[in-house]
Amino acid sequence: MTPDINSGMNSGMTSDMTGGKNSLRSGPDSDGRFGDFGGRFVAETLMPLILDLEQAFRDSRTDPAFEEEFNSLLTEFVGRPSPLYFAERLTEHLKGAKIYFKREELNHTGAHKINNCIGQILLARRMGKSRIIAETGAGQHGVATATVCARFGIKCVVYMGAKDIERQKPNVFRMKLLGAEVIPVTSGSQSLKDAMNEAMRDWVAHVADTYYLIGTAAGPHPYPELVRDFQSVIGTETRRQIMAKEGRLPDSLVACVGGGSNAIGLFHPFLDDDIAMYGVEAAGLGLDTDKHAASLTGGRPGVLHGNRTYLLMDGDGQIEEAHSISAGLDYPGIGPEHSWLHDIRRVKYVAITDREALDAFQTCCACEGIIPALESAHAIAYVIKLAPTLPRDHLMVMNLSGRGDKDIFTVAQALGTEI
Amino acid sequence: MSVSRIDRKFAALKAENRAALVTFTTAGDPDYDSALRILRALPAAGADIIELGMAFSDPMADGPAIQAANIRALKNGITCGKILQMVGEFRQQDQTTPLILMGYYNPLYIYGVEKFLADALQAGVDGLIIVDLPPEEDCELAIPAAAAGMGCIHLATPTTDRARLNHIVKNGSGFLYYVSIAGVTGTRVPDSRPVKAAVEMIRGHTDLPVAVGFGIKTPETARLFAEFADAVVVGSAIVNIIAANIDQEGLANSVLESRVLDFVATLGRGIKQARQATPESKI
């Protein structure tokens, strides 16, 4: 953390700081760092590739045609803007803060993941790449990647942990329908981190034609930055929508964090405003057990998958397996910008157990007529804890990042029901 | 100084007009005692420089053979501390063979860079190859290592162009490791022609010796690369012999060590013949 940021924090944040020297929105620096986090910890083979990617990304930012095509695809193909929905019955039920859901689950493919995939497929095409690889945990990013690859007629290979393939069968089938090759990863814990290792091994071996479409705001610079920017459409829309509905900015934002792309997408456009933010990690069976996925509340800084960030590891720096009922949160790390926002205490990170998420999942179904993804159910669970402690005029926006159709088998099993 | 062990070795081999054989094994594979016995016997079998792998849970640059070796070593409780202890035990008997540790940054970062450098120098480590630290991250390790007197071996790859080479050699020492394929360890076999061209390009940017590795599995390939490289690294092929000589519980069988050492001896003979066959080639 830098003295500039400290002074920004101490003097309180106002919106006129946006883009200024003390803005919290100006990271990363030219080395890809958010404070001490981030960086480019990759093999030399990949270094020229990520420098090329950075160049292509910078060029795209100054190309109006890129932005026009991106926005047009978000409107026509994804179905944006996603509604900012007043969760009236949940608000009445909790008798506290006025709760809005940002309905990312209504996007094409059922989650926020598609926003990033649209942006990156345009970058890949711009770079002349003919083959896309991706890692996936819950399968949402894999489906979104397979979708944009089909849309643009580009070959798609998705790495997925064998354990995740087992618990996310519907998404595996979707990816195959969309023409992707799904490669099971049997090494390590057979989940998201191992899928990411395998994708990086593939990338190193196919440097000429392959684009690695990372699904979260993590990995080597410039991925955390570019994924965040493509996902920031969530927060930018929310800002406009809440002004139209309430005539003012919200008082708090809540989002679940695995790698953290839906959360950073919601938070980033508001970082310089006086708004409380809560990132909700997966506490699995509990933070006092070794079965959780809460990198910030239960881990410490280390280096993995190209960036320095908070990680779950043992005393000798060996990465430990994460656990969460939600495959999308089952990752032992987190995006580097979240690590920084945690260290400077701009965002409060909390943790929700499997059990609390399951309860919230059911509350959301019964109370709002929306089946949420188990990932998003973690955010709902925190809203259920927090909202009743706040006054009625407190405006809270929660990112409903994905829909839960993919999770009904997992939930049924956890509830002891056979379907 | 420990770096000079590497320099002395390359100077001696230059006088002999031959390339160095660099062997890679993973510390603690299949277990501490077997790995130490192999380590101690490697120089006599023909290894000129020893590369010792530091196991990591997520070895992203490694193919299946070395991934499996990492898992075996970790299962048997290898740690950074034990690896340095193993080096110390090796050094009690061997004061001349350069020993390089190769691995990933996180275990070392968690150990503490300053402490690791001090303890590794004390144990008798001559250099470090950390695959996920490109020159962009030299502040993390290469610069503190140089200040501490520890060699820091940088990697160049088929994707490295001339502009990057200057950047790569800047804070590197000991030798430069040319990764002969775009890929992970122990998979594709490299073609010698483009590798030779790359080594020649690298020589235009540095006086450091150039080692070639990744995908060199046989005495014949080693011999081919030893014609023009200053050192040839063989890893996965040795590690595969270890894998083939352990039982289901991961215990070494009675011939594991001799199989490994016999293979290293054939690699050494291949390398020694390389420039005898082509006397016109020079270092």
Side-chain angles (χ1 to χ4, degrees):
Chain A
M1 101 172 76
T2 68
D4 284 346
I5 285 152
N6 277 328
S7 62
M9 289 298 292
N10 294 339
S11 61
M13 279 152 299
T14 52
S15 51
D16 63 356
M17 285 160 59
T18 304
K21 196 178 169 225
N22 287 342
S23 173
L24 297 177
R25 302 179 61 217
S26 57
D29 66 17
S30 58
D31 294 324
R33 302 291 179 108
F34 302 90
D36 197 31
F37 299 100
R40 290 179 281 218
F41 297 89
V42 295
E44 168 60 21
T45 314
L46 294 179
M47 213 38 237
L49 280 72
I50 63 171
L51 291 173
D52 284 351
L53 173 61
E54 188 177 354
Q55 190 58 52
F57 174 57
R58 302 273 170 247
D59 292 347
S60 76
R61 301 307 299 268
T62 55
D63 179 358
F66 184 92
E67 197 188 337
E68 195 179 313
E69 189 171 17
F70 178 63
N71 289 335
S72 157
L73 283 162
L74 287 184
T75 307
E76 308 291 333
F77 189 65
V78 177
R80 300 203 73 92
S82 69
L84 184 69
Y85 166 79
F86 172 40
E88 191 175 354
R89 291 198 64 225
L90 187 65
T91 299
E92 278 170 23
H93 175 65
L94 297 175
K95 299 181 176 61
K98 186 172 184 183
I99 300 158
Y100 280 90
F101 287 168
K102 179 60 174 164
R103 301 286 303 273
E104 289 298 299
E105 105 281 9
L106 291 177
N107 292 339
H108 181 39
T109 73
H112 70 288
K113 293 288 187 187
I114 190 83
N115 306 327
N116 165 48
C117 289
I118 295 280
Q120 288 202 57
I121 198 83
L122 294 179
L123 279 181
R125 198 187 55 179
R126 198 181 175 90
M127 295 173 79
K129 303 292 184 182
S130 58
R131 180 175 178 269
I132 303 290
I133 56 170
E135 82 295 333
T136 196
Q140 293 301 92
H141 174 58
V143 168
T145 305
T147 298
V148 296
C149 286
R151 167 67 182 74
F152 286 91
I154 302 180
K155 184 179 163 53
C156 180
V157 176
V158 179
Y159 288 91
M160 187 167 185
K163 201 170 88 184
D164 289 337
I165 286 183
E166 193 48 45
R167 56 182 174 175
Q168 299 289 346
K169 282 177 186 160
N171 272 343
V172 175
F173 187 60
R174 280 186 193 104
M175 284 184 263
K176 288 180 178 169
L177 283 174
L178 292 161
E181 183 187 354
V182 181
I183 301 183
V185 176
T186 53
S187 58
S189 61
Q190 308 190 0
S191 67
L192 184 52
K193 89 175 167 81
D194 309 282
M196 208 154 171
N197 290 337
E198 213 53 43
M200 290 186 115
R201 290 181 187 121
D202 178 307
W203 198 21
V204 158
H206 299 92
V207 291
D209 65 345
T210 296
Y211 181 95
Y212 181 15
L213 207 161
I214 293 184
T216 194
H221 177 65
Y223 282 104
E225 179 185 0
L226 70 86
V227 175
R228 176 200 72 198
D229 283 2
F230 293 139
Q231 290 293 4
S232 288
V233 65
I234 301 170
T236 306
E237 278 178 12
T238 300
R239 213 180 162 93
R240 203 170 56 230
Q241 290 166 320
I242 196 86
M243 288 306 290
K245 284 176 194 287
E246 297 283 350
R248 66 178 181 94
L249 293 179
D251 299 298
S252 62
L253 305 173
V254 181
C256 64
V257 285
S261 71
N262 91 79
I264 202 72
L266 175 65
F267 296 167
H268 194 260
F270 294 102
L271 282 177
D272 290 329
D273 298 292
D274 187 14
I275 291 174
M277 299 185 186
Y278 302 91
V280 186
E281 297 193 287
L285 301 183
L287 291 178
D288 51 346
T289 72
D290 60 355
K291 296 249 182 293
H292 65 79
S295 326
L296 290 176
T297 30
R300 60 199 169 117
V303 174
L304 180 72
H305 293 152
N307 57 169
R308 174 160 34 231
T309 194
Y310 276 78
L311 299 168
L312 301 179
M313 61 181 123
D314 70 12
D316 208 45
Q318 305 296 338
I319 308 304
E320 291 186 323
E321 291 179 24
H323 167 85
S324 167
I325 190 168
S326 144
L329 303 181
D330 200 348
Y331 178 67
I334 186 165
E337 194 164 8
H338 286 293
S339 289
W340 174 67
L341 292 169
H342 170 71
D343 269 19
I344 65 167
R345 299 177 185 203
R346 173 63 188 94
V347 177
K348 185 174 163 65
Y349 293 89
V350 297
I352 285 292
T353 64
D354 287 354
R355 171 48 58 190
E356 291 168 320
L358 273 169
D359 290 347
F361 178 96
Q362 294 171 84
T363 302
C364 186
C365 290
C367 218
E368 288 295 342
I370 298 170
I371 301 177
L374 275 172
E375 291 77 14
S376 318
H378 285 73
I380 300 168
Y382 192 68
V383 167
I384 290 172
K385 281 188 176 178
L386 186 62
T389 69
L390 296 165
R392 292 272 184 172
D393 63 352
H394 180 106
L395 294 180
M396 179 181 284
V397 176
M398 188 210 77
N399 198 5
L400 189 51
S401 56
R403 69 174 183 231
D405 309 50
K406 68 184 175 61
D407 292 316
I408 55 170
F409 300 98
T410 308
V411 172
Q413 196 182 22
L415 300 177
T417 307
E418 235 177 85
I419 50 175
Chain B
M1 283 309 279
S2 51
V3 175
S4 68
R5 235 185 244 129
I6 301 175
D7 298 343
R8 274 200 300 271
K9 176 63 76 174
F10 277 108
L13 293 174
K14 192 167 184 173
E16 279 182 51
N17 187 29
R18 73 170 178 88
L21 170 62
V22 184
T23 59
F24 173 94
T25 51
T26 297
D29 176 30
D31 58 75
Y32 186 94
D33 293 336
S34 305
L36 178 59
R37 278 198 299 273
I38 291 169
L39 200 60
R40 283 177 159 162
L42 280 171
D48 299 301
I49 297 173
I50 286 174
E51 229 179 82
L52 193 59
M54 302 170 66
F56 183 46
S57 52
D58 295 78
M60 281 159 289
D62 285 300
I66 294 175
Q67 285 176 45
N70 278 286
I71 291 168
R72 289 194 294 271
L74 288 172
K75 219 171 166 180
N76 283 314
I78 201 70
T79 60
C80 284
K82 284 183 186 171
I83 292 167
L84 296 181
Q85 180 192 329
M86 187 179 291
V87 175
E89 292 189 57
F90 170 79
R91 274 282 170 254
Q92 285 167 10
Q93 299 184 359
D94 186 320
Q95 294 296 319
T96 57
T97 307
L99 189 145
I100 318 289
L101 292 179
M102 183 167 188
Y104 296 81
Y105 187 41
N106 197 53
L108 200 156
Y109 177 71
I110 294 305
Y111 192 98
V113 168
E114 297 298 329
K115 180 169 158 51
F116 186 88
L117 288 170
D119 292 354
L121 282 168
Q122 176 72 28
V125 173
D126 300 290
L128 301 171
I129 305 175
I130 304 299
V131 288
D132 52 355
L133 287 179
E136 277 73 6
E137 302 292 351
D138 273 352
C139 290
E140 297 282 334
L141 182 68
I143 291 166
M150 173 69 80
C152 196
I153 289 97
H154 275 172
L155 301 150
T157 72
T159 57
T160 305
D161 61 16
R162 287 178 188 276
R164 284 191 62 73
L165 263 180
N166 289 327
H167 201 26
I168 287 172
V169 299
K170 199 172 134 208
N171 295 309
S173 59
F175 58 93
L176 194 130
Y177 190 135
Y178 182 69
V179 175
S180 60
I181 53 161
V184 293
T185 54
T187 50
R188 287 203 292 262
V189 179
D191 289 333
S192 70
R193 270 235 305 249
V195 174
K196 188 175 181 184
V199 169
E200 279 161 7
M201 177 176 84
I202 291 166
R203 290 216 171 98
H205 291 259
T206 181
D207 294 330
L208 288 174
V210 183
V212 171
F214 275 48
I216 300 170
K217 293 173 185 165
T218 64
E220 293 71 32
T221 323
R223 176 180 165 169
L224 194 63
F225 285 88
E227 286 177 16
F228 58 85
D230 299 308
V232 174
V233 188
V234 181
S236 296
I238 298 171
V239 169
N240 276 332
I241 294 174
I242 295 174
N245 287 283
I246 51 176
D247 64 18
Q248 282 181 330
E249 273 83 54
L251 299 172
N253 67 23
S254 59
V255 295
L256 182 141
E257 284 165 54
S258 62
R259 292 269 158 84
V260 168
L261 298 172
D262 287 350
F263 179 65
V264 169
T266 64
L267 292 169
R269 281 196 293 274
I271 282 173
K272 277 175 187 144
Q273 288 162 2
R275 292 182 207 162
Q276 290 164 10
T278 54
E280 72 278 8
S281 67
K282 56 185 174 52
I283 289 179

